[in-house]
């Protein structure tokens, strides 16, 4: 890949660039086709080791269209892992966030690349703030729906994509067959990178939100556009601003992720292993 990211061009052919990324992934991992893709958010890093045997791990920057990760706690690699049942899983540890100021086509490139590798299922994970006081840090929550407050869309032009049941009922059932106690909630994507104000969190609650975060919704829309079946799981890393009365810190969010990692990693590995 050359230094210039082809997605920087305003008229970039995003599907051709995703296809190029998929061929880079096939060449660099030696795995022609992936069945499942999973994007690892804050706190979910250990899952990669538990999903199965790692066949190859590639720095994301060697793959067409991927950008250098910005935030601490986000690993910049793609891994090809085989589950005990023989499914090839593309583990995406390189997320581009909308708050990095890049165009949405950068934010959703990994999703389009995953679809181009042949994946039919995408599992999106993230760390999120909880609007509900009953959900403590460390609690995994299935995403039942989202509210996109970024004002952006990965689709361009007259593309009217149905988002009913965006978060697959079938896959949520699979997750609950592994852990029946998993609650569900509506994820609200704010643009970030600042955390929300308490008033914004109250607003998120009033409009039907349960979780607040800075990723996932845009990726889920792109996944639906690409025909992927989506499972979203949030790890509550903190109570959202105002729900907790002390200030929020990125360190706290990372620490909650680190503490929950073995448990949620095992959960994610079991969900993916059962697909
Ligand atoms: N708000 C937004 N994003 C987040 C939060 C939060 O409280 N926690 C982790 N990511």
């Amino acid at each position: 890949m050359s230094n210039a990211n082809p997605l920087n061009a305003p008229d970039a052919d995003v599907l051709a660039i995703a296809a190029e990324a998929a061929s880079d992934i096939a060449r660099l991992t030696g795995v022609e086709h992936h069945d499942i893709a999973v994007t690892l958010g804050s706190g979910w890093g250990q899952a990669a080791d538990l999903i199965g045997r790692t066949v190859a791990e590639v720095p994301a920057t060697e793959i067409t269209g991927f950008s250098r990760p910005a935030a601490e706690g986000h690993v910049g690699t793609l891994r090809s892992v085989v589950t005990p049942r023989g499914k090839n899983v593309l583990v995406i540890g390189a997320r581009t966030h909308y708050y990095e100021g890049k165009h949405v086509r950068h934010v959703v490139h990994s999703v389009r690349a995953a679809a181009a590798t042949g994946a039919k299922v995408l599992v999106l994970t993230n760390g999120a703030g909880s609007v509900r006081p009953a959900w403590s840090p460390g609690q995994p929550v299935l995403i039942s729906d989202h509210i996109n407050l970024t004002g952006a869309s990965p689709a361009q032009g007259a593309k009217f994509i149905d988002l009913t049941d965006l978060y697959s009922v079938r896959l949520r059932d699979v997750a609950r067959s592994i852990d029946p106690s998993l609650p569900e909630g509506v994820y609200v994507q704010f643009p970030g990178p600042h955390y929300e104000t308490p008033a914004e969190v109250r607003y998120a609650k009033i409009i039907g939100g349960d979780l607040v975060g800075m990723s996932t919704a845009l990726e889920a829309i792109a996944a639906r556009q690409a025909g992927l079946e989506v499972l979203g799981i949030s790890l509550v890393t903190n109570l959202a601003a105002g729900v907790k009365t002390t200030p929020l810190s990125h360190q706290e969010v990372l620490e909650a992720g680190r503490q929950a990692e073995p448990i949620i990693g095992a959960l994610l590995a079991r969900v993916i292993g059962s697909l």
Side-chain angles (χ1 to χ4, degrees):
M1 179 186 137
S2 71
N3 277 341
N5 188 328
L7 287 171
N8 288 338
D11 60 349
D13 181 343
V14 293
L15 294 183
I17 296 165
E20 219 175 297
S23 84
D24 290 343
I25 292 167
R27 178 173 47 82
L28 294 166
T29 63
V31 179
E32 259 327 293
H33 171 102
H34 286 85
D35 304 296
I36 300 165
V38 52
T39 300
L40 298 180
S42 314
W44 293 89
Q46 271 189 24
D49 294 326
L50 303 171
I51 291 167
R53 181 175 57 85
T54 296
V55 177
E57 182 162 18
V58 179
T61 43
E62 290 185 16
I63 301 165
T64 301
F66 278 75
S67 324
R68 227 161 261 289
E72 192 190 335
H74 301 155
V75 202
T77 68
L78 271 72
R79 267 206 229 189
S80 184
V81 175
V82 186
T83 68
R85 285 193 186 175
K87 291 275 169 72
N88 293 310
V89 182
L90 183 67
V91 181
I92 302 164
R95 194 173 229 158
T96 298
H97 288 85
Y98 188 60
Y99 59 66
E100 291 172 46
K102 297 205 172 78
H103 191 273
V104 194
R105 57 183 173 268
H106 291 273
V107 176
V108 303
H109 176 61
S110 64
V111 172
R112 291 179 170 146
T117 70
K120 298 283 179 264
V121 166
L122 174 67
V123 183
L124 292 169
T125 65
N126 61 49
S130 176
V131 173
R132 293 180 176 242
W135 292 344
S136 312
Q139 172 71 54
V141 180
L142 298 174
I143 300 176
S144 59
D145 205 346
H146 79 224
I147 297 171
N148 171 15
L149 293 184
T150 65
S153 171
Q156 276 187 307
K159 302 222 178 69
F160 306 109
I161 305 157
D162 172 57
L163 299 180
T164 313
D165 290 334
L166 173 52
Y167 297 89
S168 163
V169 174
R170 182 185 81 86
L171 294 176
R172 277 185 271 153
D173 284 345
V174 168
R176 264 190 306 263
S177 72
I178 283 153
D179 181 355
S181 76
L182 282 173
E184 290 195 345
V186 173
Y187 180 91
V188 184
Q189 180 173 359
F190 281 86
H194 51 272
Y195 291 114
E196 301 72 33
T197 62
E200 286 165 343
V201 171
R202 286 197 300 277
Y203 166 71
K205 184 178 180 184
I206 289 165
I207 63 174
D210 302 295
L211 301 155
V212 290
M214 305 177 195
S215 67
T216 303
L218 293 170
E219 295 156 322
I221 297 166
R224 167 55 63 95
Q225 188 179 23
L228 295 165
E229 194 180 8
V230 178
L231 176 66
I233 319 180
S234 289
L235 167 72
V236 173
T237 53
N238 56 280
L239 294 181
V243 180
K244 94 186 194 89
T245 46
T246 48
L248 285 178
S249 80
H250 184 51
Q251 280 316 317
E252 171 198 357
V253 167
L254 291 180
E255 184 50 36
R258 262 193 287 277
Q259 283 192 17
E261 225 167 340
I263 295 164
I264 57 169
L267 168 70
L268 186 59
R270 287 187 65 196
V271 171
I272 289 173
S274 73
L275 296 176

